[in-house]
Amino acid sequence: YFGIESFLIPDVHALGVHEVSPFSPAAMAGLQPGDMILSVNGYAFDNETVLPHMIQTSGGILNLEVYREGMDAPVHVQVRLRRLRITSF
């Protein structure tokens, strides 16, 4: 579990952060709406499947390159499992 809603920015091969869930791993790492994630574990975003794939194969740590207010900065995020409650009727 990472905790953001994002959208692909194909011109720059990045993800735009639209929303950050409170108390999520992304929030704890300091990500904010308006940030652009330029890469994750060294990989640029050619499509929207890069982040989910990296979350699943990361071993728990994501190393992001984030662009905010004219500056690039490294951000380290510790992802975690998220429990889902499934009910059937």
Side-chain angles (χ1 to χ4, degrees), residues 12 31 54 69:
V12 291
L31 285 175
M54 295 307 270
E69 298 177 0

Side-chain angles (χ1 to χ4, degrees), residues 8-43:
L8 184 64
I9 307 171
D11 296 350
V12 291
H13 300 281
L15 284 184
V17 178
H18 174 68
E19 187 175 314
V20 180
S21 299
F23 309 107
S24 67
M28 299 298 183
L31 285 175
Q32 301 173 6
D35 287 348
M36 281 196 318
I37 304 173
L38 304 175
S39 67
V40 57
N41 294 350
Y43 291 92

Side-chain angles (χ1 to χ4, degrees), residues 37 39-45 50 54-55 57-65 75-77:
I37 304 173
S39 67
V40 57
N41 294 350
Y43 291 92
F45 294 93
V50 172
M54 295 307 270
I55 290 170
T57 61
S58 69
I61 300 291
L62 296 177
N63 297 301
L64 310 177
E65 188 68 29
V75 174
H76 307 288
V77 180

